[in-house]
PDB file of all heavy atoms in Angstrom:
ATOM      1  N   GLN N  12      -6.774  16.953   1.815  1.00  0.00           N
ATOM      2  CA  GLN N  12      -7.254  17.767   0.696  1.00  0.00           C
ATOM      3  C   GLN N  12      -6.953  17.086  -0.633  1.00  0.00           C
ATOM      4  O   GLN N  12      -5.848  16.615  -0.871  1.00  0.00           O
ATOM      5  CB  GLN N  12      -6.602  19.152   0.723  1.00  0.00           C
ATOM      6  CG  GLN N  12      -7.083  20.082  -0.391  1.00  0.00           C
ATOM      7  CD  GLN N  12      -6.444  21.457  -0.302  1.00  0.00           C
ATOM      8  OE1 GLN N  12      -5.715  21.746   0.626  1.00  0.00           O
ATOM      9  NE2 GLN N  12      -6.723  22.297  -1.289  1.00  0.00           N
ATOM     10  N   GLN N  35       1.426  18.453 -13.044  1.00  0.00           N
ATOM     11  CA  GLN N  35       1.351  18.560 -11.590  1.00  0.00           C
ATOM     12  C   GLN N  35       2.730  18.356 -10.986  1.00  0.00           C
ATOM     13  O   GLN N  35       3.487  17.488 -11.425  1.00  0.00           O
ATOM     14  CB  GLN N  35       0.370  17.545 -11.025  1.00  0.00           C
ATOM     15  CG  GLN N  35       0.000  17.800  -9.571  1.00  0.00           C
ATOM     16  CD  GLN N  35      -1.179  16.962  -9.135  1.00  0.00           C
ATOM     17  OE1 GLN N  35      -1.188  15.761  -9.325  1.00  0.00           O
ATOM     18  NE2 GLN N  35      -2.184  17.597  -8.555  1.00  0.00           N
ATOM     19  N   GLU N  36       3.053  19.141  -9.989  1.00  0.00           N
ATOM     20  CA  GLU N  36       4.352  19.053  -9.336  1.00  0.00           C
ATOM     21  C   GLU N  36       4.515  17.671  -8.709  1.00  0.00           C
ATOM     22  O   GLU N  36       3.580  17.108  -8.134  1.00  0.00           O
ATOM     23  CB  GLU N  36       4.441  20.157  -8.278  1.00  0.00           C
ATOM     24  CG  GLU N  36       5.844  20.407  -7.762  1.00  0.00           C
ATOM     25  CD  GLU N  36       6.172  19.522  -6.576  1.00  0.00           C
ATOM     26  OE1 GLU N  36       5.290  19.288  -5.737  1.00  0.00           O
ATOM     27  OE2 GLU N  36       7.331  19.034  -6.515  1.00  0.00           O
ATOM     28  N   LEU N  40       1.888  15.212  -6.544  1.00  0.00           N
ATOM     29  CA  LEU N  40       1.388  13.953  -7.092  1.00  0.00           C
ATOM     30  C   LEU N  40       1.681  12.797  -6.137  1.00  0.00           C
ATOM     31  O   LEU N  40       0.817  11.947  -5.890  1.00  0.00           O
ATOM     32  CB  LEU N  40       2.038  13.690  -8.448  1.00  0.00           C
ATOM     33  CG  LEU N  40       1.585  12.423  -9.177  1.00  0.00           C
ATOM     34  CD1 LEU N  40       0.157  12.591  -9.672  1.00  0.00           C
ATOM     35  CD2 LEU N  40       2.514  12.094 -10.336  1.00  0.00           C
ATOM     36  N   ASN N 111     -16.110   9.279   3.042  1.00  0.00           N
ATOM     37  CA  ASN N 111     -16.168  10.410   3.969  1.00  0.00           C
ATOM     38  C   ASN N 111     -15.095  11.464   3.730  1.00  0.00           C
ATOM     39  O   ASN N 111     -14.953  12.396   4.505  1.00  0.00           O
ATOM     40  CB  ASN N 111     -16.078   9.915   5.418  1.00  0.00           C
ATOM     41  CG  ASN N 111     -14.801   9.140   5.685  1.00  0.00           C
ATOM     42  OD1 ASN N 111     -13.942   9.008   4.829  1.00  0.00           O
ATOM     43  ND2 ASN N 111     -14.686   8.620   6.904  1.00  0.00           N
ATOM     44  N   VAL N 149      -9.456  -5.587 -38.544  1.00  0.00           N
ATOM     45  CA  VAL N 149     -10.189  -4.774 -37.581  1.00  0.00           C
ATOM     46  C   VAL N 149     -10.695  -3.537 -38.318  1.00  0.00           C
ATOM     47  O   VAL N 149      -9.897  -2.788 -38.879  1.00  0.00           O
ATOM     48  CB  VAL N 149      -9.299  -4.365 -36.388  1.00  0.00           C
ATOM     49  CG1 VAL N 149     -10.075  -3.463 -35.428  1.00  0.00           C
ATOM     50  CG2 VAL N 149      -8.775  -5.592 -35.668  1.00  0.00           C
ATOM     51  N   GLY N 151     -12.258  -0.023 -38.115  1.00  0.00           N
ATOM     52  CA  GLY N 151     -12.446   1.069 -37.178  1.00  0.00           C
ATOM     53  C   GLY N 151     -11.222   1.227 -36.308  1.00  0.00           C
ATOM     54  O   GLY N 151     -10.708   0.247 -35.761  1.00  0.00           O
ATOM     55  N   SER N 152     -10.738   2.472 -36.166  1.00  0.00           N
ATOM     56  CA  SER N 152      -9.481   2.679 -35.444  1.00  0.00           C
ATOM     57  C   SER N 152      -9.658   3.577 -34.223  1.00  0.00           C
ATOM     58  O   SER N 152      -8.741   4.297 -33.838  1.00  0.00           O
ATOM     59  CB  SER N 152      -8.426   3.289 -36.379  1.00  0.00           C
ATOM     60  OG  SER N 152      -8.802   4.597 -36.785  1.00  0.00           O
ATOM     61  N   TYR N 173      -8.465  -1.217 -40.615  1.00  0.00           N
ATOM     62  CA  TYR N 173      -9.024  -0.440 -41.721  1.00  0.00           C
ATOM     63  C   TYR N 173      -9.737   0.797 -41.171  1.00  0.00           C
ATOM     64  O   TYR N 173     -10.540   0.698 -40.238  1.00  0.00           O
ATOM     65  CB  TYR N 173     -10.011  -1.292 -42.519  1.00  0.00           C
ATOM     66  CG  TYR N 173      -9.352  -2.339 -43.380  1.00  0.00           C
ATOM     67  CD1 TYR N 173      -8.949  -3.551 -42.844  1.00  0.00           C
ATOM     68  CD2 TYR N 173      -9.118  -2.110 -44.733  1.00  0.00           C
ATOM     69  CE1 TYR N 173      -8.329  -4.518 -43.621  1.00  0.00           C
ATOM     70  CE2 TYR N 173      -8.500  -3.067 -45.526  1.00  0.00           C
ATOM     71  CZ  TYR N 173      -8.110  -4.267 -44.969  1.00  0.00           C
ATOM     72  OH  TYR N 173      -7.494  -5.216 -45.758  1.00  0.00           O
ATOM     73  N   ASP N 177      -8.540   9.627 -43.378  1.00  0.00           N
ATOM     74  CA  ASP N 177      -7.180   9.665 -43.912  1.00  0.00           C
ATOM     75  C   ASP N 177      -6.119   9.398 -42.855  1.00  0.00           C
ATOM     76  O   ASP N 177      -4.953   9.181 -43.184  1.00  0.00           O
ATOM     77  CB  ASP N 177      -6.916  11.019 -44.574  1.00  0.00           C
ATOM     78  CG  ASP N 177      -7.128  12.184 -43.612  1.00  0.00           C
ATOM     79  OD1 ASP N 177      -7.955  12.060 -42.693  1.00  0.00           O
ATOM     80  OD2 ASP N 177      -6.467  13.224 -43.793  1.00  0.00           O
ATOM     81  N   THR N 273      -6.727  22.242 -44.757  1.00  0.00           N
ATOM     82  CA  THR N 273      -7.639  23.242 -45.289  1.00  0.00           C
ATOM     83  C   THR N 273      -8.995  22.592 -45.514  1.00  0.00           C
ATOM     84  O   THR N 273      -9.099  21.593 -46.218  1.00  0.00           O
ATOM     85  CB  THR N 273      -7.119  23.823 -46.620  1.00  0.00           C
ATOM     86  OG1 THR N 273      -5.835  24.435 -46.391  1.00  0.00           O
ATOM     87  CG2 THR N 273      -8.071  24.864 -47.168  1.00  0.00           C
ATOM     88  N   LYS N 283     -20.673  34.794 -33.799  1.00  0.00           N
ATOM     89  CA  LYS N 283     -22.053  34.319 -33.926  1.00  0.00           C
ATOM     90  C   LYS N 283     -22.631  33.907 -32.576  1.00  0.00           C
ATOM     91  O   LYS N 283     -21.905  33.579 -31.633  1.00  0.00           O
ATOM     92  CB  LYS N 283     -22.116  33.147 -34.906  1.00  0.00           C
ATOM     93  CG  LYS N 283     -21.701  33.529 -36.324  1.00  0.00           C
ATOM     94  CD  LYS N 283     -21.807  32.358 -37.273  1.00  0.00           C
ATOM     95  CE  LYS N 283     -21.415  32.774 -38.698  1.00  0.00           C
ATOM     96  NZ  LYS N 283     -21.494  31.647 -39.659  1.00  0.00           N
ATOM     97  N   ALA N 301     -16.281  26.634 -29.676  1.00  0.00           N
ATOM     98  CA  ALA N 301     -16.908  27.932 -29.974  1.00  0.00           C
ATOM     99  C   ALA N 301     -16.184  29.071 -29.258  1.00  0.00           C
ATOM    100  O   ALA N 301     -16.033  30.170 -29.809  1.00  0.00           O
ATOM    101  CB  ALA N 301     -18.382  27.901 -29.576  1.00  0.00           C
ATOM    102  N   GLY N 324     -29.727   9.990  -3.147  1.00  0.00           N
ATOM    103  CA  GLY N 324     -29.943   8.803  -2.338  1.00  0.00           C
ATOM    104  C   GLY N 324     -30.073   7.527  -3.128  1.00  0.00           C
ATOM    105  O   GLY N 324     -29.722   6.445  -2.641  1.00  0.00           O
ATOM    106  N   GLU N 342     -15.843  26.536 -17.594  1.00  0.00           N
ATOM    107  CA  GLU N 342     -15.101  27.603 -16.913  1.00  0.00           C
ATOM    108  C   GLU N 342     -14.855  28.788 -17.834  1.00  0.00           C
ATOM    109  O   GLU N 342     -14.706  29.916 -17.369  1.00  0.00           O
ATOM    110  CB  GLU N 342     -13.747  27.083 -16.440  1.00  0.00           C
ATOM    111  CG  GLU N 342     -13.783  26.131 -15.273  1.00  0.00           C
ATOM    112  CD  GLU N 342     -12.386  25.714 -14.854  1.00  0.00           C
ATOM    113  OE1 GLU N 342     -11.453  25.810 -15.685  1.00  0.00           O
ATOM    114  OE2 GLU N 342     -12.232  25.286 -13.709  1.00  0.00           O
ATOM    115  N   GLY N 438     -16.816  -2.655 -28.657  1.00  0.00           N
ATOM    116  CA  GLY N 438     -16.959  -1.225 -28.427  1.00  0.00           C
ATOM    117  C   GLY N 438     -18.367  -0.729 -28.661  1.00  0.00           C
ATOM    118  O   GLY N 438     -19.338  -1.479 -28.587  1.00  0.00           O
ATOM    119  N   ILE N 451     -12.047   0.343 -24.548  1.00  0.00           N
ATOM    120  CA  ILE N 451     -10.782  -0.370 -24.410  1.00  0.00           C
ATOM    121  C   ILE N 451     -10.994  -1.725 -23.743  1.00  0.00           C
ATOM    122  O   ILE N 451     -10.423  -2.747 -24.163  1.00  0.00           O
ATOM    123  CB  ILE N 451      -9.766   0.476 -23.623  1.00  0.00           C
ATOM    124  CG1 ILE N 451      -9.466   1.770 -24.388  1.00  0.00           C
ATOM    125  CG2 ILE N 451      -8.481  -0.303 -23.381  1.00  0.00           C
ATOM    126  CD1 ILE N 451      -8.624   2.762 -23.609  1.00  0.00           C
ATOM    127  N   PRO N 477     -19.776  -9.005 -22.869  1.00  0.00           N
ATOM    128  CA  PRO N 477     -20.584  -8.051 -23.638  1.00  0.00           C
ATOM    129  C   PRO N 477     -21.942  -7.757 -23.017  1.00  0.00           C
ATOM    130  O   PRO N 477     -22.580  -6.769 -23.369  1.00  0.00           O
ATOM    131  CB  PRO N 477     -20.722  -8.723 -25.006  1.00  0.00           C
ATOM    132  CG  PRO N 477     -20.466 -10.163 -24.762  1.00  0.00           C
ATOM    133  CD  PRO N 477     -19.492 -10.220 -23.630  1.00  0.00           C
TER     134      PRO N 477
END
Side-chain angles (χ1 to χ4, degrees):
Q12 182 178 355
Q35 193 168 51
E36 194 271 322
L40 182 71
N111 59 3
V149 177
S152 66
Y173 286 82
D177 57 331
T273 300
K283 297 181 179 179
E342 288 182 338
I451 298 172

